[in-house]
Amino acid sequence: MFDTRDIIETISMIREECLDIRTITMGISLYDCRSDDCNTLCTRIYDRIMSSAADLVKIGEDIEKKYGIPIINKRVSVTPIALMAGGLDPDGAVKIAKVLDRAAGELGINFIGGFSALVQKGCSNGSRAVISAIPQALAETQRVCSSVNVASTKAGINMDAVAEMGRIIRRTADLTADRSAIGCAKLVVFANVPEDNPFMAGAFHGIGEPERVINVGVSGPGVVASAIRRQGNCNLTEVAETIKRTAFKITRVGQLVAREASERLGVPFGIVDLSLAPTPAVGDSVAYILESMGLEKCGCHGTTAALAMLNDAVKKGGVMASSHVGGLSGAFIPVSEDAGMIEAARCGALTLEKLEAMTAVCSVGLDMIAIPGDTPAEVISGIIADEISIGVVNTKTTAVRLIPAGKVGDMVSFGGLLGEAPVIPVSKYSPAEFIARGGRIPAPLQSLKN
């Protein structure tokens, strides 16, 4: 039985509090497309994507109309291209990226993920080709997203890959400097990458997934912030309970959409990602949730504790609403995509160091952060190494998406959901000698769980 009050409350969430489904993402396996010939491989990949996702956008729009729930993005993720590119050089990998981009454009989706490599323990020929191709691929495509997993709790940190990704980000920024280094906004470096993540830029179709699958990512920071404000002056235990109940309702909406999309497309339902994904829209902000708890400004002392409670409560409420929870599932803190984070970074309350501390207790990591455009590759690698180590030691997913553009204090705009960000300073001291040592940082003791 549906409770009338719950129905009315959900309608209010959609109309007034920015509740939406952030994305329906179809994962597509490309293993059957393998070929030693680059042209044949590209043709097979294009045909497979087009035949598999032909109805994705239309069915997503039909579900929106049926339930009145906005579905902001329809996306596709594919098998990591590094697994398909063993016989290719970087030029061949770029050719695949352009095929992915063409398919995405013709399908009408906003992003396609999977121009990816997993190199936590070493680099295969296919991974080398893909990583080398990333700057050109992202500069010459619009919808292709790329990710590289450089570490895991089981394997430790591949510091050679960390050093290389600093150089790759630097080159990607240079090639797209005339567009606010937009290529870097489509590139993420991971530790402990999940294989069922529906969110870009890190989505790819994992090796343990079926031929096709539907994963859904929810949103709802504005809903949570409003619920806390309505609760008024109460203790933090009651705040946590309010967040749990609200997360349950948000996840139920995601579960409904996921099952409907799965049935209509004839594709297995994978997971609901519980992540509170903010937008640049005023009110739809994780920072505002933290401030509604009593922080004067996101980034002040107490922010990490408040975020830890939020992340925990969201997960506890969400897992009661869906039997299939996965992906990243927590609170995103992308600076450029969150109006409150943008304000906090602009006024100096939120620094790179505080953001790093916050990532120890939430999803993803240092996400969509603009740093000075002249930041050296070694410094970028140092930032990556710091963030990735948090994920490895704490057995959690962390990631880095940095955009070197402009000067400190400038505002860099990326458009759409990617938003805009103030350029924040980085340390003037160099980790170059440390990064140049290379090798692997061994896996921590907690990796030995068998």
Side-chain angles (χ1 to χ4, degrees), residues 157-248:
I157 304 173
N158 183 346
M159 288 300 293
D160 292 325
V162 169
E164 179 64 10
M165 289 313 299
R167 293 188 287 269
I168 292 296
I169 291 171
R170 177 70 270 157
R171 178 158 167 70
T172 304
D174 291 342
L175 290 180
T176 57
D178 60 332
R179 290 166 281 162
S180 301
I182 187 67
C184 297
K186 301 182 290 176
L187 171 60
V188 58
V189 183
F190 273 113
N192 293 320
V193 66
E195 296 189 359
D196 55 3
N197 167 27
F199 289 107
M200 301 298 170
F204 64 84
H205 189 67
I207 60 175
E209 299 286 319
E211 289 294 315
R212 295 190 298 164
V213 70
I214 286 292
N215 297 321
V216 167
V218 298
S219 183
V223 177
V224 175
S226 295
I228 294 171
R229 286 193 290 267
R230 285 195 299 270
Q231 194 75 2
N233 186 20
C234 61
N235 65 41
L236 292 175
T237 302
E238 293 173 293
V239 171
E241 287 298 315
T242 297
I243 295 169
K244 282 197 297 183
R245 289 194 299 270
T246 306
F248 177 89

Coordinates of all heavy atoms in Angstrom, one line a residue, residues 157-248:
I157 N 50.3 0.7 -4.6 CA 50.2 1.9 -5.5 C 51.3 1.8 -6.6 O 52.5 1.7 -6.3 CB 50.4 3.2 -4.8 CG1 49.3 3.3 -3.6 CG2 50.2 4.4 -5.7 CD1 49.6 4.5 -2.7
N158 N 50.9 1.8 -7.8 CA 51.8 1.8 -9.0 C 52.3 3.2 -9.2 O 51.7 4.0 -9.9 CB 51.1 1.2 -10.2 CG 52.0 1.1 -11.4 OD1 53.1 1.7 -11.4 ND2 51.6 0.4 -12.4
M159 N 53.5 3.5 -8.6 CA 53.9 4.9 -8.7 C 54.4 5.3 -10.1 O 54.4 6.5 -10.4 CB 55.0 5.1 -7.6 CG 54.5 5.2 -6.2 SD 53.3 6.5 -5.9 CE 54.4 7.9 -6.1
D160 N 54.8 4.3 -10.9 CA 55.2 4.6 -12.3 C 53.9 5.1 -13.0 O 54.0 6.1 -13.8 CB 55.7 3.4 -13.0 CG 57.1 2.9 -12.4 OD1 57.9 3.8 -12.1 OD2 57.3 1.7 -12.4
A161 N 52.8 4.5 -12.7 CA 51.5 4.9 -13.3 C 51.1 6.3 -12.8 O 50.6 7.1 -13.5 CB 50.4 3.9 -13.1
V162 N 51.3 6.5 -11.5 CA 51.0 7.8 -10.9 C 51.8 8.9 -11.5 O 51.3 10.0 -11.9 CB 51.2 7.8 -9.4 CG1 51.2 9.2 -8.8 CG2 50.2 6.9 -8.7
A163 N 53.1 8.7 -11.7 CA 53.9 9.7 -12.4 C 53.5 9.9 -13.8 O 53.4 11.1 -14.3 CB 55.4 9.2 -12.4
E164 N 53.1 8.8 -14.5 CA 52.7 9.0 -15.9 C 51.4 9.8 -16.0 O 51.2 10.6 -16.9 CB 52.5 7.6 -16.6 CG 52.0 7.6 -18.0 CD 53.0 8.3 -19.0 OE1 54.1 8.6 -18.6 OE2 52.6 8.5 -20.1
M165 N 50.4 9.5 -15.0 CA 49.2 10.2 -15.1 C 49.3 11.7 -14.8 O 48.5 12.5 -15.3 CB 48.2 9.6 -14.1 CG 47.7 8.2 -14.5 SD 47.2 8.1 -16.3 CE 45.8 9.3 -16.3
G166 N 50.3 12.1 -14.0 CA 50.6 13.5 -13.9 C 51.0 14.1 -15.2 O 50.5 15.2 -15.5
R167 N 51.8 13.4 -16.0 CA 52.2 13.9 -17.3 C 51.0 13.9 -18.2 O 50.8 14.9 -19.1 CB 53.3 13.1 -17.8 CG 54.6 13.2 -17.1 CD 55.8 12.6 -17.7 NE 55.7 11.1 -17.6 CZ 56.3 10.4 -16.7 NH1 56.9 11.0 -15.7 NH2 56.2 9.1 -16.7
I168 N 50.1 12.9 -18.2 CA 49.0 12.8 -19.0 C 48.0 13.9 -18.8 O 47.4 14.6 -19.7 CB 48.3 11.4 -18.9 CG1 49.2 10.3 -19.4 CG2 46.9 11.4 -19.6 CD1 49.4 10.4 -20.9
I169 N 47.7 14.2 -17.5 CA 46.8 15.3 -17.1 C 47.4 16.7 -17.6 O 46.7 17.5 -18.2 CB 46.6 15.3 -15.6 CG1 45.7 14.1 -15.2 CG2 45.9 16.6 -15.2 CD1 45.6 13.9 -13.7
R170 N 48.7 16.8 -17.4 CA 49.4 18.0 -17.9 C 49.2 18.2 -19.4 O 48.9 19.3 -19.9 CB 50.9 17.9 -17.5 CG 51.8 19.0 -17.9 CD 51.6 20.3 -17.1 NE 50.6 21.1 -17.8 CZ 49.9 22.1 -17.3 NH1 50.1 22.3 -16.0 NH2 49.1 22.8 -18.0
R171 N 49.4 17.1 -20.2 CA 49.3 17.2 -21.6 C 47.9 17.4 -22.1 O 47.6 18.2 -23.0 CB 49.9 16.0 -22.3 CG 49.8 16.0 -23.8 CD 50.8 15.0 -24.4 NE 50.5 14.8 -25.8 CZ 50.6 15.7 -26.8 NH1 51.1 16.9 -26.5 NH2 50.4 15.4 -28.1
T172 N 47.0 16.8 -21.4 CA 45.5 16.9 -21.7 C 45.1 18.4 -21.5 O 44.4 19.0 -22.3 CB 44.7 16.0 -20.9 OG1 45.1 14.6 -21.1 CG2 43.2 16.1 -21.2
A173 N 45.6 19.0 -20.4 CA 45.3 20.4 -20.1 C 45.8 21.3 -21.2 O 45.2 22.2 -21.6 CB 45.8 20.8 -18.7
D174 N 47.0 21.0 -21.6 CA 47.7 21.8 -22.7 C 46.9 21.7 -24.0 O 46.7 22.7 -24.7 CB 49.1 21.4 -22.9 CG 50.0 21.7 -21.7 OD1 49.6 22.6 -20.9 OD2 51.1 21.1 -21.6
L175 N 46.5 20.5 -24.4 CA 45.8 20.3 -25.6 C 44.4 20.9 -25.6 O 43.8 21.2 -26.7 CB 45.7 18.8 -26.0 CG 47.0 18.2 -26.4 CD1 46.8 16.7 -26.7 CD2 47.6 18.9 -27.6
T176 N 43.8 21.1 -24.4 CA 42.4 21.7 -24.4 C 42.4 23.0 -23.6 O 41.4 23.4 -23.1 CB 41.4 20.7 -23.7 OG1 41.9 20.3 -22.4 CG2 41.3 19.4 -24.5
A177 N 43.6 23.7 -23.6 CA 43.7 24.9 -22.9 C 42.8 26.0 -23.4 O 42.3 26.9 -22.6 CB 45.1 25.4 -22.9
D178 N 42.4 26.0 -24.7 CA 41.5 27.0 -25.2 C 40.1 26.7 -24.8 O 39.2 27.6 -25.1 CB 41.7 27.0 -26.8 CG 41.3 25.6 -27.4 OD1 41.5 24.6 -26.7 OD2 40.8 25.6 -28.5
R179 N 39.8 25.6 -24.2 CA 38.5 25.3 -23.7 C 38.5 25.0 -22.2 O 37.8 24.1 -21.7 CB 37.9 24.1 -24.4 CG 37.6 24.3 -25.9 CD 37.4 23.0 -26.7 NE 38.7 22.4 -27.0 CZ 38.9 21.1 -27.3 NH1 37.8 20.3 -27.4 NH2 40.1 20.6 -27.6
S180 N 39.2 25.8 -21.5 CA 39.3 25.7 -20.0 C 39.8 24.3 -19.6 O 39.3 23.8 -18.5 CB 38.0 26.1 -19.3 OG 37.6 27.4 -19.7
A181 N 40.6 23.7 -20.4 CA 41.2 22.4 -20.0 C 40.1 21.4 -19.8 O 40.2 20.5 -19.0 CB 42.1 22.5 -18.8
I182 N 39.0 21.4 -20.7 CA 37.9 20.6 -20.5 C 38.2 19.1 -20.6 O 37.5 18.2 -20.0 CB 36.8 20.9 -21.6 CG1 35.5 20.2 -21.3 CG2 37.3 20.7 -23.0 CD1 34.8 20.6 -20.0
G183 N 39.3 18.7 -21.3 CA 39.7 17.3 -21.4 C 39.9 16.7 -20.1 O 39.6 15.5 -19.8
C184 N 40.5 17.5 -19.1 CA 40.8 17.0 -17.8 C 39.5 16.7 -17.0 O 39.5 15.9 -16.0 CB 41.7 18.0 -17.1 SG 43.3 18.2 -17.8
A185 N 38.4 17.4 -17.3 CA 37.1 17.2 -16.6 C 36.5 15.8 -17.0 O 35.6 15.3 -16.4 CB 36.2 18.3 -17.0
K186 N 37.1 15.2 -18.1 CA 36.6 13.9 -18.5 C 37.6 12.8 -18.2 O 37.5 11.7 -18.8 CB 36.3 13.9 -20.0 CG 35.3 15.0 -20.4 CD 35.0 14.9 -21.9 CE 36.1 15.5 -22.7 NZ 35.9 15.3 -24.2
L187 N 38.5 13.0 -17.3 CA 39.6 12.1 -16.9 C 39.7 11.9 -15.4 O 39.8 12.9 -14.7 CB 40.9 12.5 -17.5 CG 42.2 11.8 -17.1 CD1 42.1 10.3 -17.5 CD2 43.4 12.4 -17.7
V188 N 39.6 10.7 -14.9 CA 39.7 10.5 -13.5 C 40.7 9.4 -13.2 O 40.8 8.4 -13.9 CB 38.3 10.2 -12.9 CG1 37.7 9.0 -13.5 CG2 38.4 9.9 -11.4
V189 N 41.5 9.5 -12.1 CA 42.5 8.6 -11.7 C 42.0 7.9 -10.4 O 41.7 8.6 -9.4 CB 43.9 9.2 -11.5 CG1 44.9 8.2 -11.1 CG2 44.3 10.0 -12.7
F190 N 41.9 6.6 -10.4 CA 41.3 5.9 -9.3 C 42.3 5.0 -8.5 O 43.3 4.6 -8.9 CB 40.3 4.9 -9.9 CG 38.9 5.4 -10.1 CD1 38.4 5.5 -11.4 CD2 38.1 5.7 -9.1 CE1 37.1 6.0 -11.7 CE2 36.8 6.2 -9.3 CZ 36.3 6.3 -10.6
A191 N 41.8 4.8 -7.2 CA 42.3 3.6 -6.4 C 41.0 2.8 -6.1 O 39.9 3.4 -5.8 CB 42.9 4.0 -5.1
N192 N 41.1 1.5 -6.1 CA 40.0 0.6 -5.8 C 38.8 0.9 -6.6 O 37.7 1.1 -6.1 CB 39.7 0.7 -4.3 CG 40.8 0.1 -3.4 OD1 41.4 -0.9 -3.8 ND2 41.0 0.8 -2.3
V193 N 38.9 1.0 -7.9 CA 37.8 1.4 -8.8 C 36.7 0.4 -8.8 O 37.0 -0.8 -8.8 CB 38.3 1.6 -10.2 CG1 38.8 0.3 -10.9 CG2 37.3 2.3 -11.1
P194 N 35.4 0.8 -8.6 CA 34.3 -0.1 -8.7 C 34.0 -0.4 -10.2 O 34.2 0.4 -11.0 CB 33.2 0.6 -8.0 CG 33.5 2.1 -8.3 CD 35.0 2.2 -8.3
E195 N 33.5 -1.6 -10.4 CA 33.2 -2.0 -11.8 C 31.8 -1.8 -12.2 O 31.4 -2.2 -13.3 CB 33.6 -3.5 -12.0 CG 35.1 -3.8 -11.8 CD 35.5 -5.2 -12.2 OE1 34.6 -6.0 -12.6 OE2 36.7 -5.5 -12.1
D196 N 31.0 -1.2 -11.4 CA 29.5 -1.0 -11.7 C 29.1 0.4 -11.4 O 28.0 0.7 -11.1 CB 28.7 -2.0 -10.8 CG 28.9 -1.9 -9.3 OD1 29.7 -1.0 -8.9 OD2 28.3 -2.7 -8.6
N197 N 30.0 1.4 -11.5 CA 29.8 2.8 -11.3 C 29.0 3.4 -12.5 O 29.6 3.4 -13.6 CB 31.1 3.5 -11.1 CG 31.1 5.0 -11.1 OD1 30.0 5.6 -10.8 ND2 32.2 5.6 -11.4
P198 N 27.9 4.0 -12.2 CA 27.1 4.6 -13.3 C 27.5 6.1 -13.6 O 27.1 6.7 -14.6 CB 25.7 4.6 -12.8 CG 25.8 4.7 -11.4 CD 27.0 4.0 -11.0
F199 N 28.4 6.6 -12.8 CA 28.7 8.1 -12.9 C 30.0 8.3 -13.7 O 31.0 7.6 -13.6 CB 28.9 8.7 -11.5 CG 27.6 8.8 -10.7 CD1 27.4 8.0 -9.6 CD2 26.7 9.8 -11.1 CE1 26.2 8.1 -8.9 CE2 25.5 9.9 -10.3 CZ 25.3 9.1 -9.3
M200 N 30.0 9.3 -14.5 CA 31.1 9.7 -15.3 C 32.0 10.7 -14.5 O 31.4 11.4 -13.6 CB 30.7 10.4 -16.6 CG 29.9 9.5 -17.5 SD 30.8 8.0 -18.0 CE 29.4 7.1 -18.8
A201 N 33.3 10.7 -14.7 CA 34.0 10.1 -15.8 C 34.5 8.7 -15.6 O 35.2 8.2 -16.4 CB 35.2 11.1 -16.1
G202 N 34.2 8.1 -14.4 CA 34.8 6.9 -14.0 C 34.1 5.6 -14.4 O 34.5 4.5 -14.1
A203 N 33.0 5.7 -15.2 CA 32.2 4.5 -15.5 C 32.9 3.7 -16.6 O 33.4 4.2 -17.5 CB 30.8 4.9 -16.0
F204 N 32.9 2.4 -16.3 CA 33.2 1.4 -17.4 C 32.5 0.1 -17.0 O 32.0 -0.1 -15.9 CB 34.7 1.2 -17.5 CG 35.4 0.6 -16.3 CD1 35.4 -0.8 -16.1 CD2 36.0 1.4 -15.4 CE1 36.0 -1.4 -14.9 CE2 36.6 0.8 -14.2 CZ 36.6 -0.5 -14.0
H205 N 32.4 -0.8 -18.0 CA 31.6 -2.0 -17.8 C 32.6 -3.1 -17.4 O 33.5 -3.5 -18.1 CB 31.0 -2.5 -19.2 CG 30.0 -3.6 -19.1 ND1 28.8 -3.5 -18.4 CD2 30.1 -4.9 -19.6 CE1 28.2 -4.7 -18.5 NE2 28.9 -5.5 -19.2
G206 N 32.5 -3.5 -16.1 CA 33.4 -4.4 -15.5 C 33.5 -5.8 -16.1 O 32.5 -6.3 -16.7
I207 N 34.6 -6.5 -15.8 CA 34.8 -7.8 -16.4 C 33.8 -8.9 -15.8 O 33.6 -9.9 -16.4 CB 36.2 -8.3 -16.3 CG1 36.6 -8.3 -14.8 CG2 37.2 -7.3 -17.0 CD1 38.0 -8.9 -14.6
G208 N 33.3 -8.6 -14.7 CA 32.3 -9.6 -14.1 C 30.9 -9.3 -14.3 O 30.0 -9.9 -13.8
E209 N 30.6 -8.3 -15.2 CA 29.3 -7.9 -15.5 C 28.7 -8.8 -16.7 O 29.4 -9.4 -17.5 CB 29.2 -6.5 -15.9 CG 29.7 -5.5 -14.9 CD 28.7 -5.3 -13.8 OE1 27.5 -5.2 -14.1 OE2 29.1 -5.3 -12.6
P210 N 27.3 -8.8 -16.8 CA 26.7 -9.5 -17.9 C 26.9 -8.8 -19.3 O 27.6 -7.7 -19.3 CB 25.2 -9.6 -17.6 CG 25.0 -8.4 -16.7 CD 26.3 -8.3 -15.9
E211 N 26.4 -9.3 -20.3 CA 26.5 -8.7 -21.7 C 26.1 -7.2 -21.7 O 26.7 -6.4 -22.2 CB 25.8 -9.5 -22.7 CG 26.4 -10.8 -23.1 CD 27.7 -10.7 -23.7 OE1 27.9 -9.9 -24.6 OE2 28.7 -11.4 -23.3
R212 N 24.9 -7.0 -21.0 CA 24.4 -5.6 -20.9 C 23.8 -5.5 -19.5 O 23.4 -6.5 -18.9 CB 23.3 -5.3 -21.9 CG 23.8 -5.3 -23.4 CD 22.7 -4.7 -24.3 NE 21.5 -5.6 -24.3 CZ 20.4 -5.2 -24.8 NH1 20.2 -3.9 -25.3 NH2 19.3 -6.0 -24.8
V213 N 23.8 -4.3 -19.0 CA 23.2 -4.1 -17.6 C 22.8 -2.7 -17.5 O 23.3 -1.8 -18.2 CB 24.3 -4.5 -16.5 CG1 25.4 -3.4 -16.5 CG2 23.7 -4.6 -15.2
I214 N 21.8 -2.4 -16.6 CA 21.3 -1.1 -16.4 C 21.7 -0.7 -14.9 O 21.3 -1.4 -14.0 CB 19.8 -1.0 -16.5 CG1 19.4 -0.9 -18.0 CG2 19.2 0.3 -15.9 CD1 19.9 0.3 -18.8
N215 N 22.5 0.3 -14.8 CA 22.8 0.9 -13.5 C 22.2 2.3 -13.4 O 22.2 3.1 -14.3 CB 24.3 1.0 -13.2 CG 24.9 -0.4 -13.3 OD1 24.4 -1.4 -12.7 ND2 26.1 -0.6 -13.9
V216 N 21.7 2.7 -12.2 CA 21.1 4.0 -12.0 C 21.8 4.7 -10.8 O 22.1 4.1 -9.8 CB 19.6 3.8 -11.7 CG1 19.0 5.1 -11.1 CG2 18.8 3.3 -12.9
G217 N 22.0 6.0 -11.1 CA 22.6 6.9 -10.0 C 21.5 7.9 -9.6 O 20.9 8.6 -10.5
V218 N 21.3 8.0 -8.3 CA 20.3 9.0 -7.8 C 21.0 10.3 -7.5 O 22.3 10.4 -7.5 CB 19.6 8.5 -6.6 CG1 18.8 7.2 -7.0 CG2 20.5 8.2 -5.4
S219 N 20.2 11.3 -7.1 CA 20.7 12.6 -6.7 C 20.1 12.9 -5.4 O 20.0 12.1 -4.5 CB 20.4 13.6 -7.8 OG 20.9 14.9 -7.5
G220 N 19.8 14.2 -5.1 CA 19.0 14.5 -3.9 C 19.6 15.3 -2.8 O 19.0 15.3 -1.7
P221 N 20.7 16.0 -3.0 CA 21.3 16.8 -1.9 C 20.3 17.8 -1.4 O 20.2 18.1 -0.2 CB 22.5 17.4 -2.5 CG 22.9 16.6 -3.6 CD 21.7 16.0 -4.1
G222 N 19.5 18.5 -2.3 CA 18.6 19.5 -1.9 C 17.5 18.9 -1.0 O 17.0 19.6 -0.1
V223 N 17.1 17.7 -1.3 CA 16.0 17.0 -0.5 C 16.5 16.8 0.9 O 15.8 17.1 1.9 CB 15.7 15.7 -1.1 CG1 14.6 14.9 -0.3 CG2 15.1 15.9 -2.5
V224 N 17.8 16.3 1.1 CA 18.3 16.0 2.4 C 18.5 17.3 3.2 O 18.2 17.4 4.4 CB 19.7 15.3 2.3 CG1 20.3 15.1 3.6 CG2 19.5 14.0 1.6
A225 N 19.0 18.4 2.5 CA 19.2 19.7 3.2 C 17.9 20.2 3.7 O 17.8 20.7 4.8 CB 19.9 20.7 2.3
S226 N 16.8 20.1 2.9 CA 15.5 20.6 3.3 C 14.9 19.8 4.5 O 14.3 20.4 5.4 CB 14.5 20.5 2.1 OG 14.9 21.4 1.1
A227 N 15.2 18.5 4.5 CA 14.7 17.7 5.6 C 15.3 18.0 6.9 O 14.7 18.1 7.9 CB 14.9 16.2 5.2
I228 N 16.6 18.3 6.8 CA 17.3 18.7 8.1 C 16.8 20.1 8.6 O 16.6 20.3 9.8 CB 18.9 18.8 7.8 CG1 19.4 17.3 7.5 CG2 19.6 19.3 9.0 CD1 20.8 17.3 7.0
R229 N 16.6 21.0 7.6 CA 16.1 22.3 8.0 C 14.8 22.2 8.7 O 14.4 22.9 9.7 CB 16.1 23.3 6.9 CG 17.5 23.8 6.5 CD 17.4 24.9 5.5 NE 16.9 24.5 4.2 CZ 17.7 24.1 3.2 NH1 19.0 24.1 3.3 NH2 17.2 23.8 2.0
R230 N 13.9 21.4 8.1 CA 12.6 21.2 8.7 C 12.6 20.6 10.1 O 11.7 20.8 10.9 CB 11.7 20.3 7.8 CG 11.2 21.0 6.5 CD 10.1 20.2 5.9 NE 10.5 18.8 5.5 CZ 11.0 18.5 4.3 NH1 11.2 19.5 3.4 NH2 11.4 17.3 4.0
Q231 N 13.6 19.8 10.4 CA 13.8 19.1 11.7 C 14.0 20.1 12.8 O 13.7 19.9 13.9 CB 14.9 18.1 11.6 CG 15.0 17.1 12.7 CD 13.9 16.1 12.6 OE1 13.1 16.0 11.7 NE2 13.8 15.2 13.6
G232 N 14.6 21.3 12.4 CA 14.8 22.3 13.4 C 16.0 22.0 14.3 O 16.9 21.3 14.0
N233 N 15.9 22.5 15.6 CA 16.9 22.4 16.5 C 16.9 21.1 17.2 O 16.1 20.9 18.1 CB 16.8 23.5 17.6 CG 18.0 23.6 18.5 OD1 19.0 23.0 18.2 ND2 17.8 24.2 19.7
C234 N 17.7 20.1 16.8 CA 17.7 18.8 17.4 C 19.1 18.3 17.5 O 20.0 18.9 16.9 CB 16.8 17.8 16.6 SG 17.4 17.6 14.9
N235 N 19.3 17.2 18.2 CA 20.7 16.7 18.4 C 21.1 15.9 17.1 O 20.3 15.6 16.2 CB 20.9 15.9 19.6 CG 20.0 14.6 19.6 OD1 20.0 13.9 18.6 ND2 19.4 14.3 20.8
L236 N 22.4 15.5 17.0 CA 22.9 14.9 15.8 C 22.4 13.5 15.6 O 22.4 13.0 14.5 CB 24.5 14.9 15.9 CG 25.1 16.3 15.8 CD1 26.6 16.3 16.0 CD2 24.7 17.0 14.4
T237 N 22.0 12.8 16.7 CA 21.4 11.5 16.5 C 20.1 11.6 15.7 O 19.9 10.8 14.8 CB 21.1 10.8 17.9 OG1 22.3 10.7 18.6 CG2 20.5 9.4 17.7
E238 N 19.3 12.6 16.0 CA 18.1 12.9 15.3 C 18.3 13.3 13.9 O 17.6 13.0 12.9 CB 17.2 13.9 16.0 CG 16.7 13.4 17.4 CD 16.0 14.5 18.2 OE1 16.7 15.4 18.6 OE2 14.8 14.4 18.4
V239 N 19.4 14.1 13.7 CA 19.8 14.5 12.3 C 20.1 13.3 11.5 O 19.7 13.1 10.3 CB 21.0 15.5 12.3 CG1 21.5 15.7 10.9 CG2 20.6 16.8 13.0
A240 N 20.9 12.4 12.0 CA 21.3 11.1 11.3 C 20.0 10.3 11.0 O 19.9 9.8 9.8 CB 22.2 10.3 12.2
E241 N 19.1 10.2 11.9 CA 17.8 9.5 11.6 C 17.0 10.2 10.4 O 16.5 9.5 9.6 CB 16.9 9.4 12.8 CG 17.5 8.5 13.9 CD 17.5 7.1 13.4 OE1 16.6 6.6 12.8 OE2 18.6 6.4 13.6
T242 N 17.0 11.5 10.4 CA 16.3 12.2 9.4 C 17.0 11.9 8.0 O 16.3 11.7 7.0 CB 16.4 13.7 9.6 OG1 15.7 14.0 10.8 CG2 15.8 14.5 8.5
I243 N 18.3 11.9 8.0 CA 19.1 11.6 6.7 C 18.8 10.2 6.3 O 18.5 10.0 5.1 CB 20.6 11.9 6.9 CG1 20.9 13.3 7.2 CG2 21.3 11.4 5.7 CD1 22.3 13.6 7.7
K244 N 18.8 9.3 7.2 CA 18.5 7.9 6.8 C 17.1 7.7 6.2 O 16.9 7.1 5.2 CB 18.6 7.0 8.1 CG 20.0 6.6 8.5 CD 20.1 5.4 9.4 CE 19.3 5.7 10.7 NZ 19.5 4.5 11.6
R245 N 16.1 8.3 6.8 CA 14.7 8.2 6.3 C 14.6 8.9 4.9 O 14.0 8.4 4.0 CB 13.7 8.9 7.2 CG 13.5 8.1 8.5 CD 12.3 8.6 9.3 NE 12.4 10.0 9.7 CZ 12.9 10.4 10.8 NH1 13.4 9.5 11.7 NH2 13.0 11.7 11.1
T246 N 15.3 10.0 4.7 CA 15.3 10.7 3.5 C 16.0 9.9 2.4 O 15.5 9.8 1.2 CB 15.9 12.1 3.6 OG1 15.3 12.8 4.7 CG2 15.7 12.9 2.3
A247 N 17.2 9.4 2.7 CA 17.9 8.5 1.8 C 17.1 7.3 1.3 O 17.2 6.9 0.2 CB 19.2 8.1 2.4
F248 N 16.3 6.8 2.3 CA 15.5 5.6 1.9 C 14.5 6.0 0.8 O 14.3 5.3 -0.2 CB 14.7 5.1 3.2 CG 13.8 4.0 2.9 CD1 14.2 2.7 3.0 CD2 12.4 4.3 2.6 CE1 13.3 1.6 2.8 CE2 11.6 3.2 2.3 CZ 12.0 1.9 2.5

